[in-house]
Amino acid sequence: MSAPNRRVVVTQRFFDAATIAWLEENGCEVIVADLPPGRADGDLSPSELESLLAGAAGWIVGHARVTRDLLTALPDLRVISRRGVGYERVDTVAVRDLGRVACIAVGGNDASVADHTIAMMLALGRRFRESQDRMLAGDWSILMGTDLFRKTVGIIGLGRIGRSLVQRLQGFEARILVLDRMADRDYADAHHLTCLTLPELLGQSDYVSLHAPLTPETRFLIDADALGRMKPTSFLINAARGGLVDDMALLEALRSGTIAGAGLDTFVSESDPGYRPTSDALLALPNVVATPHAAASSREGLDRTNRVAAMSVVDVLDGRTPPAACVIADGRVRTPA
């Protein structure tokens, strides 16, 4: 009798040796894809993914699209585990229909993204980019910045990352507002947070930070109307998902002085190449601090997230169910008609 298939393919960069060793100790054959320079798994074609994943029972994935056609072409694949928490690129209906399991790596990168968000707030308020650009041009005069200390911060999305941000902001003695429809009232009350409607939150905040999932309801949640409700001295931070913000409207708001600046880790152009000129125009503005969807990519955060993703793979291959918070679709569980 042949041994059960325990081949696990990793299509993410920065997959640490300790997690590879842990998978091997748990009986897995680990194959880390040798991606072409400058390309992530989200850039690979379906045929390239099929070739990499042929015969695999487990897949630790980054930003590749997990489609019905791809899953159908990979009959041996039992578990798809995202090294991350967003799953808008995973066809969860197809996962269930085809009897597979899809997971996310809950809890691995909360601290990393919250730290990154604070860094963006500080960089914007203290005008780090503008100051260094001027110094490089020979102008060492001082630009007046603004503190984060005791400012009002609006948080849209009060999940794990939003709550990690709350913990950090309390050290700055910030007044924290949260969007009422995305807030856990018990948590908000216990941490002295103020629940407001979106217009109220936008109008009162010195910093607005997005930590919501991308859904049809939240797409372009921050549009021209929303930006127009913000203070001209306020800053917008998006370290969540491209598509929460209408980047074209944001570009106009920044150019016109509707808001003071933006910290951007995600862009609409990540999923819609037609927005790339808009992204490039945003990057060129002196009042924008940007990173390439890197908020979760600290060494420690990736190591934690790698391990969570790997643990879900082993759970499924061993016939167990991963922690409920990690499971986004389980086709092994059939609901009676």
Side-chain angles (χ1 to χ4, degrees):
M1 183 175 178
S2 61
N5 179 9
R6 296 180 73 87
R7 178 181 297 173
V8 177
V9 174
V10 179
T11 59
Q12 272 283 43
R13 299 186 188 277
F14 311 117
F15 203 78
D16 63 291
T19 300
I20 292 173
W22 184 86
L23 282 165
E24 291 173 341
E25 290 166 5
N26 281 272
C28 297
E29 174 194 0
V30 183
I31 300 168
V32 180
D34 184 15
L35 299 178
R39 299 183 74 193
D41 60 5
D43 302 317
L44 301 179
S45 68
S47 61
E48 288 173 311
L49 289 170
E50 285 180 32
S51 178
L52 285 171
L53 295 164
W59 178 17
I60 296 177
V61 59
H63 295 285
R65 293 191 179 278
V66 182
T67 66
R68 183 179 296 272
D69 287 346
L70 181 62
L71 293 174
T72 301
L74 299 167
D76 297 318
L77 188 62
R78 297 166 57 192
V79 54
I80 304 96
S81 190
R82 270 225 66 223
R83 189 186 72 181
V85 294
Y87 55 92
E88 65 272 8
R89 297 189 178 195
V90 179
D91 186 338
T92 54
V93 174
V95 169
R96 294 188 188 95
D97 289 347
L98 296 171
R100 320 297 174 84
V101 182
C103 302
I104 55 176
V106 168
N109 61 20
D110 304 352
S112 303
V113 178
D115 284 357
H116 197 93
T117 300
I118 292 289
M120 284 188 153
M121 290 180 179
L122 293 171
L124 288 164
R126 300 310 298 267
R127 303 174 73 175
F128 287 171
R129 175 180 178 177
E130 294 173 82
S131 294
Q132 184 164 345
D133 286 348
R134 287 171 60 141
M135 292 170 72
L136 287 169
D139 181 356
W140 285 52
S141 59
I142 295 172
L143 290 173
M144 188 66 67
T146 185
D147 288 339
L148 179 55
F149 179 60
R150 292 185 176 171
K151 288 298 189 294
T152 297
V153 180
I155 300 176
I156 297 177
L158 197 57
R160 294 174 299 273
I161 294 171
R163 294 183 183 195
S164 291
L165 182 60
V166 166
Q167 293 175 348
R168 286 151 177 78
L169 288 169
Q170 288 173 335
F172 289 90
E173 299 182 22
R175 175 182 177 231
I176 304 174
L177 314 178
V178 293
L179 185 60
D180 54 6
R181 71 174 189 262
M182 295 184 183
D184 179 323
R185 289 304 181 99
D186 291 338
Y187 178 91
D189 290 344
H191 291 81
H192 309 291
L193 314 180
T194 302
C195 297
L196 297 177
T197 65
L198 181 59
E200 291 170 333
L201 181 149
L202 294 171
Q204 296 183 33
S205 297
D206 299 302
Y207 296 82
V208 174
S209 193
L210 303 177
H211 301 284
L214 180 61
T215 66
E217 292 73 30
T218 61
R219 181 170 174 80
F220 289 177
L221 178 69
I222 304 301
D223 56 11
D225 179 69
L227 291 162
R229 294 177 183 274
M230 294 175 64
K231 300 178 183 180
T233 55
S234 65
F235 301 98
L236 177 71
I237 315 293
N238 186 6
R241 285 289 179 268
L244 292 175
V245 179
D246 180 344
D247 285 353
M248 291 184 183
L250 176 61
L251 178 61
E252 177 57 32
L254 290 166
R255 284 174 168 169
S256 65
T258 301
I259 64 172
L264 303 174
D265 186 53
T266 58
F267 298 83
V268 179
S269 60
E270 293 175 55
S271 58
D272 185 347
Y275 274 79
R276 185 55 186 266
T278 303
S279 297
D280 291 341
L282 285 166
L283 293 173
L285 295 177
N287 54 346
V288 169
V289 174
T291 47
H293 207 144
S297 295
S298 69
R299 182 177 294 107
E300 298 84 358
L302 289 181
D303 287 355
R304 290 190 297 266
T305 311
N306 288 342
R307 182 58 66 94
V308 174
M311 291 172 69
S312 289
V313 168
V314 169
D315 278 342
V316 173
L317 296 184
D318 284 347
R320 299 188 298 269
T321 298
C326 293
V327 179
I328 58 171
D330 191 343
R332 301 172 305 175
V333 179
R334 299 293 180 180
T335 303

